[in-house]
Amino acid sequence: MGDVKLAYIVQKPQYKGETSRLAITHAIAYQTVEILLEDGDTVTPTLCFVGEGVLGLQKGQKAMDLYGITSTESHIKNSLLVDLDVLVCKEDLAKYGIPEDAMPDADDMGADKKIKVAPFSEIQKAMEDAKHVLFF
Amino acid sequence: MGTLTIGCFPGLVGNMSYDFALKLAEAAVNKGHKVNIWLSGNATGSVKAHQKHLKDYSTGEKYLKALLEKGVEICTCEACTVARGIQKTEGIEKLQWNAMHWYLAKIHGSDRVLQIGGE
């Protein structure tokens, strides 16, 4: 069957509920799915943040210090470290007044990938290219 | 016949989304489709055995067991479940426990995927 492309569309703010966090961890799980698949089969998620889903992504989070839980920032950094494509909607960032340079990176961890602040048309293309679209 | 995988994330009590996911699974399996259910987030609270079915509340156990008997594969996210204080020894028999890659693997082989979002 080969590769199956998935689009994870996160529409809810981080920390408001659990599912916006679970979208990220479920996407990262693509790293280990091959142990359950036939040789040559893969799953490739693209993680997309749109609407209120762009809230709570900024760098400098202190969730571990204040609440003893991993931050969304750390999950995003792990996503980049495992080479996930992470798209954040450019128009929605602008709507909420969040500067693009507030998005975290994982340079300190040695990641090659970076968050891509992308126009919605690009996120729509990711949805069109995916076999399955999952809304979180 | 096709393969349907349902990602079920809502809590058992407090909304009807969980009930809908299981009813949908039942309808699909009754039509002869292969059905997989992945329980994650608050939905994992429903895998504990010996639930008392009070009529004012939705119940998971009775319907999960019926689906398992019909050949539906049901798996709970182990991390989400133990985080809620439920151990595997307390869970419903024949229900699988695994990590998130179980869901992705089932998605890989599915014709359709329905993600029933949670809180």
mmCIF file of all heavy atoms in Angstrom, chain B residues 12 32 37 39 42 52 59 74 112 117:
data_model
loop_
_atom_site.group_PDB
_atom_site.id
_atom_site.type_symbol
_atom_site.label_atom_id
_atom_site.label_comp_id
_atom_site.label_asym_id
_atom_site.label_seq_id
_atom_site.Cartn_x
_atom_site.Cartn_y
_atom_site.Cartn_z
ATOM 1 N N LEU B 12 -17.003 9.615 28.205
ATOM 2 C CA LEU B 12 -18.198 8.776 28.210
ATOM 3 C C LEU B 12 -19.406 9.541 28.719
ATOM 4 O O LEU B 12 -20.502 9.440 28.176
ATOM 5 C CB LEU B 12 -17.928 7.554 29.101
ATOM 6 C CG LEU B 12 -19.088 6.623 29.438
ATOM 7 C CD1 LEU B 12 -19.646 6.010 28.159
ATOM 8 C CD2 LEU B 12 -18.621 5.524 30.372
ATOM 9 N N GLY B 32 -21.518 -5.376 7.602
ATOM 10 C CA GLY B 32 -20.469 -6.252 7.095
ATOM 11 C C GLY B 32 -19.110 -5.616 6.944
ATOM 12 O O GLY B 32 -18.172 -6.233 6.437
ATOM 13 N N ILE B 37 -11.782 0.669 16.414
ATOM 14 C CA ILE B 37 -12.026 1.850 17.256
ATOM 15 C C ILE B 37 -10.790 2.122 18.099
ATOM 16 O O ILE B 37 -10.294 1.240 18.800
ATOM 17 C CB ILE B 37 -13.242 1.651 18.189
ATOM 18 C CG1 ILE B 37 -14.512 1.382 17.383
ATOM 19 C CG2 ILE B 37 -13.448 2.882 19.086
ATOM 20 C CD1 ILE B 37 -15.733 1.071 18.252
ATOM 21 N N LEU B 39 -9.580 4.442 21.179
ATOM 22 C CA LEU B 39 -10.036 5.284 22.277
ATOM 23 C C LEU B 39 -8.861 6.097 22.809
ATOM 24 O O LEU B 39 -7.815 5.527 23.156
ATOM 25 C CB LEU B 39 -10.625 4.430 23.401
ATOM 26 C CG LEU B 39 -11.818 3.546 23.022
ATOM 27 C CD1 LEU B 39 -12.169 2.599 24.173
ATOM 28 C CD2 LEU B 39 -13.028 4.377 22.655
ATOM 29 N N ASN B 42 -10.290 11.537 26.924
ATOM 30 C CA ASN B 42 -11.275 11.184 27.954
ATOM 31 C C ASN B 42 -12.037 9.902 27.641
ATOM 32 O O ASN B 42 -12.613 9.284 28.547
ATOM 33 C CB ASN B 42 -12.264 12.337 28.150
ATOM 34 C CG ASN B 42 -11.688 13.455 28.995
ATOM 35 O OD1 ASN B 42 -10.721 13.243 29.720
ATOM 36 N ND2 ASN B 42 -12.270 14.640 28.906
ATOM 37 N N LYS B 52 -21.394 0.437 36.443
ATOM 38 C CA LYS B 52 -22.804 0.326 36.794
ATOM 39 C C LYS B 52 -23.607 1.192 35.834
ATOM 40 O O LYS B 52 -23.327 2.393 35.708
ATOM 41 C CB LYS B 52 -23.035 0.779 38.235
ATOM 42 C CG LYS B 52 -24.467 0.568 38.694
ATOM 43 C CD LYS B 52 -24.600 0.754 40.188
ATOM 44 C CE LYS B 52 -26.025 0.418 40.628
ATOM 45 N NZ LYS B 52 -26.182 0.501 42.085
ATOM 46 N N THR B 59 -23.329 4.624 29.141
ATOM 47 C CA THR B 59 -22.459 3.557 29.620
ATOM 48 C C THR B 59 -21.615 3.032 28.468
ATOM 49 O O THR B 59 -22.050 3.037 27.312
ATOM 50 C CB THR B 59 -23.263 2.410 30.262
ATOM 51 O OG1 THR B 59 -22.343 1.491 30.865
ATOM 52 C CG2 THR B 59 -24.104 1.665 29.247
ATOM 53 N N ILE B 74 -10.987 -3.017 19.237
ATOM 54 C CA ILE B 74 -11.034 -1.803 20.048
ATOM 55 C C ILE B 74 -9.751 -1.719 20.862
ATOM 56 O O ILE B 74 -9.344 -2.690 21.487
ATOM 57 C CB ILE B 74 -12.257 -1.806 20.999
ATOM 58 C CG1 ILE B 74 -13.545 -2.048 20.213
ATOM 59 C CG2 ILE B 74 -12.335 -0.492 21.773
ATOM 60 C CD1 ILE B 74 -14.789 -2.231 21.083
ATOM 61 N N ARG B 112 -11.910 4.347 5.128
ATOM 62 C CA ARG B 112 -12.447 5.594 5.684
ATOM 63 C C ARG B 112 -12.007 5.728 7.147
ATOM 64 O O ARG B 112 -11.907 4.738 7.864
ATOM 65 C CB ARG B 112 -13.976 5.619 5.638
ATOM 66 C CG ARG B 112 -14.563 5.638 4.243
ATOM 67 C CD ARG B 112 -14.370 6.991 3.564
ATOM 68 N NE ARG B 112 -15.027 7.053 2.274
ATOM 69 C CZ ARG B 112 -14.464 6.664 1.121
ATOM 70 N NH1 ARG B 112 -13.232 6.189 1.130
ATOM 71 N NH2 ARG B 112 -15.123 6.758 -0.016
ATOM 72 N N GLY B 117 -14.054 13.951 17.644
ATOM 73 C CA GLY B 117 -13.260 14.779 18.542
ATOM 74 C C GLY B 117 -13.807 14.836 19.952
ATOM 75 O O GLY B 117 -14.995 14.581 20.189
#
